[in-house]
Amino acid sequence: MSSFIANTKDMQFVLHELLKVSNSDVPGYEEMDRDFTEAVLDAAGKVSSEVLAPLNEVGDKEGCVLENGVVRTPKGFDKAFEAMKEGGWTALDCDPEFGGQGMPYLLNCAVGEMFVSANMAFNMYQGLTHGAYSAIHTHGTDEQKQTYLPKMVTCDWTGTMNLTEPHCGTDLGLMRTKAEPQDDGSYAITGTKIFISAGDHDLSDNVIHLVLAKAPGGGEGTKGVSLFIVPKFLVNEDGSLGERNSLSVGKLEEKMGIHGNATCVMNYDGAKGWLLGDLHKGMRAMFTMMNEARLGVGLQGYAVAEAAYQEAVAYAKDRTQGRDVTGVKAPEKAADPIIVHPDVRRMLMDQKSFVEGARAFTFWGAHLIDRSHALDDAEAEGLISLMTPVIKGFLTDKGFETAVSAQQVFGGHGYTEDWPMSQHVRDARIAMIYEGANGIQALDLVGRKLAQDGGKHVMAFFEMVKAECKSHDDDERMKPFTDALKNASKQLQTAGMFFMQNGMKNPNAALSGSYDFMHLMGHVCLGLMWTRMAKAAFTALDNGASDTAFYEGKIATGRYYMARQLPACAMHLARIETGADPVMALTDDQF
């Protein structure tokens, strides 16, 4: 059975020594002192380890079942969901006007990381609801908000997002789902959607589907797409549930992982729906959900990696095999624990340095979202818009790679179902695909985000990195960090310049290198985080911190990332500078 203990100590370090949240000018952050965040994180950690983690294997083994049109979740999920609701965990950062607790999004992300690490499939039921809540909160009418949000905040009603159809994924302009206007102001929604996470289940009284469909007069492509609220059960004027809507689950998808989450084919047969936001402007409303979801998926990438890393460390300390080449470490045993071996250490250091860097990167991104919303900060909004495809794409790619690395520590045992490593690998794999496959994230980064607002935001990022390095000129201890970060940043800028010089005359030259650019930028972002964390750790030691092992370990882990991971930037740049020719060389029939 999977075991998981939330790393609240590192979260506290990121919140208070890296981001210094309680000193921030973001409204609501002033309440997030160490004692408050410790109480919240410790309570969430207890739920994670005692309630959710024990159900992770159950969900994987049992999966969901479709019986007579009703989806049944795995044993124990219903009681765990009630515990989440009763604890107020579904409402942490939601609007108090609708029953939420009004805490910052950053704190919700920190709590969400633990829940994902403990049981990714389970957490998706409330995670999808939060995205649907955000879309209605931002774009809904007052009546829609009053009708749906109080019940969605508590997760008495859950939510979904319906984009993909059998014949179209990313290219939503090809969708065939239709919305016909009715005399009462509603629309009749007809069509089929696939891959709908949490599409139906027995955990809530109602499911509020947000469905993209084409209404008359919208024209071709995505400009003709609108977004509609389509509840499983219609809601009466007094707020009670009425008759079942004309929608059904066609089937449950058989998936590689996240078996505990119901991934549904949803059929809409003239189902009654109501327009959310402006007619023919559905993509704008949907992206309120998508941007939040993409940061959440990036979080899933490293959160599952955290759980896998914990298992790998415990196994490496316990499993005995071979002897340390420098001398016996466990003479009372027939062999030494495998953690003494350099190659096992390499794998564990790869895992640790990624997870801790990714946590800092994601928390910083959540802080930017809080800042952009609470202060209407255009610079923060531009920066998180630039970072979103990197958070989603890079962290899920590396998160899966990290889960595989953790599995490798187990050797043959990691390949069996006697240990949780197979599940971690299988669960982590989906994060690279859904909410926009990672190749699409790379195209978004290079094709849209770099040039956004005249390149203002990427230039601001380069200046941020430059200023960070310069601020440590008088601290010799920081040289391994700043030298590596400067070099990596120059390589990133060189790659951007290559796109500028070649992309206009040959767009494929830029698009062929987009995936490498996303990874190059991801490494620079984690390098920036590790530079900042190293300085925070040095400062703590200078101030006489009692837990010297933690801070010295933090610095050593950071040095490892800068020395062993950032050199990948040179490889990515070299690939980018080959242009389109090697990628596009074959004709279609030569494959």
Side-chain angles (χ1 to χ4, degrees), residues 378-563:
E379 290 184 9
E381 173 64 30
L383 196 52
I384 189 55
S385 180
L386 173 69
M387 294 299 164
T388 295
V390 184
I391 290 172
K392 196 282 181 185
F394 180 70
L395 297 191
T396 58
D397 275 356
K398 301 302 284 189
F400 175 73
E401 183 181 306
T402 299
V404 171
S405 174
Q407 183 188 38
Q408 187 74 13
V409 172
F410 283 71
H413 292 291
Y415 197 66
T416 71
E417 296 300 331
D418 297 331
W419 296 85
M421 307 315 291
S422 167
Q423 183 185 352
H424 291 319
V425 169
R426 288 183 285 104
D427 286 352
R429 184 65 182 89
I430 185 58
M432 301 163 68
I433 298 172
Y434 62 13
E435 308 305 343
N438 287 353
I440 299 299
Q441 303 302 321
L443 295 181
D444 178 45
L445 174 64
V446 170
R448 294 178 62 243
K449 299 299 174 61
L450 291 185
Q452 193 171 18
D453 296 328
K456 171 183 174 182
H457 307 300
V458 71
M459 295 307 297
F461 174 69
F462 289 142
E463 286 301 313
M464 179 186 296
V465 172
K466 181 179 178 181
E468 184 68 35
C469 292
K470 188 171 180 58
S471 70
H472 305 305
D473 280 349
D474 59 350
D475 191 342
E476 190 67 21
R477 300 171 301 180
M478 290 296 295
K479 197 169 174 54
F481 294 89
T482 55
D483 283 356
L485 182 57
K486 283 178 191 174
N487 189 47
S489 181
K490 287 177 182 176
Q491 290 166 334
L492 182 63
Q493 292 177 62
T494 301
M497 188 62 66
F498 177 85
F499 291 156
M500 288 179 61
Q501 293 171 345
N502 296 275
M504 290 298 289
K505 58 186 178 185
N506 182 8
N508 282 339
L511 300 184
S512 296
S514 61
Y515 212 94
D516 280 287
F517 188 89
M518 180 178 71
H519 274 248
L520 205 171
M521 189 165 181
H523 279 300
V524 172
C525 288
L526 261 63
L528 174 62
M529 293 300 111
W530 272 116
T531 300
R532 290 176 172 177
M533 286 193 285
K535 183 61 178 180
F538 280 127
T539 300
L541 291 171
D542 292 344
N543 292 336
S546 58
D547 192 354
T548 56
F550 173 81
Y551 293 107
E552 289 171 354
K554 180 66 70 175
I555 293 164
T557 305
R559 284 198 188 110
Y560 179 91
Y561 193 88
M562 307 308 274

Side-chain angles (χ1 to χ4, degrees), residues 269-351:
D269 302 305
K272 191 176 283 288
W274 288 266
L275 182 67
L276 177 61
D278 296 330
L279 188 64
H280 309 314
K281 299 290 177 62
M283 294 304 295
R284 182 168 60 188
M286 183 59 84
F287 269 102
T288 299
M289 296 173 66
M290 290 294 285
N291 288 333
E292 177 184 305
R294 284 173 175 171
L295 187 139
V297 173
L299 182 149
Q300 287 180 333
Y302 82 82
V304 174
E306 164 73 34
Y309 164 68
Q310 288 190 18
E311 299 281 359
V313 170
Y315 186 84
K317 289 179 178 179
D318 182 67
R319 170 76 165 174
T320 56
Q321 191 165 303
R323 288 296 189 185
D324 187 334
V325 295
T326 64
V328 173
K329 291 297 187 290
E332 75 285 1
K333 297 179 180 179
D336 288 331
I338 63 172
I339 198 168
V340 305
H341 303 307
D343 197 59
V344 174
R345 290 288 185 113
R346 173 191 62 80
M347 290 188 284
L348 295 177
M349 287 297 287
D350 282 346
Q351 295 159 37

Side-chain angles (χ1 to χ4, degrees), residues 30-209:
E30 70 280 356
E31 298 177 6
M32 290 209 299
D33 59 32
R34 275 187 177 271
D35 289 343
F36 177 75
T37 56
E38 182 179 18
V40 172
L41 296 180
D42 284 351
K46 188 174 182 180
V47 171
S48 299
S49 59
E50 297 180 5
V51 178
L52 302 186
L55 293 174
N56 201 33
E57 183 182 2
V58 174
D60 187 54
K61 293 287 195 292
E62 290 188 10
C64 297
V65 179
L66 178 61
E67 297 177 337
N68 301 319
V70 178
V71 176
R72 307 292 183 192
T73 53
K75 183 168 54 184
F77 271 41
D78 53 350
K79 290 182 180 178
F81 204 68
E82 286 303 311
M84 296 290 281
K85 290 161 60 177
E86 290 170 8
W89 298 111
T90 65
L92 210 61
D93 68 327
C94 296
D95 190 340
E97 181 181 347
F98 305 106
Q101 299 179 43
M103 295 183 191
Y105 177 63
L106 170 57
L107 192 59
N108 187 64
C109 280
V111 169
E113 179 198 315
M114 302 184 225
F115 293 163
V116 171
S117 292
N119 196 325
M120 175 176 165
F122 177 92
N123 192 64
M124 290 170 65
Y125 291 102
Q126 68 193 49
L128 270 296
T129 303
H130 192 282
Y133 154 88
S134 296
I136 295 174
H137 188 269
T138 302
H139 301 283
T141 64
D142 289 340
E143 181 182 0
Q144 288 171 338
K145 293 178 186 178
Q146 293 298 333
T147 298
Y148 298 106
L149 294 189
K151 293 287 190 180
M152 296 178 74
V153 165
T154 61
C155 274
D156 289 332
W157 299 352
T158 54
T160 72
M161 49 200 299
N162 284 234
L163 292 80
T164 307
E165 299 185 7
H167 58 282
C168 71
T170 301
D171 191 353
L172 295 173
L174 297 176
M175 72 172 52
R176 296 171 184 161
T177 301
K178 300 296 184 185
E180 293 294 336
Q182 306 297 297
D183 292 341
D184 63 358
S186 68
Y187 287 77
I189 311 298
T190 302
T192 296
K193 299 288 185 177
I194 63 171
F195 305 153
I196 308 306
S197 300
D200 193 74
H201 50 83
D202 53 3
L203 301 179
S204 64
D205 298 329
N206 203 3
V207 182
I208 311 304
H209 299 285

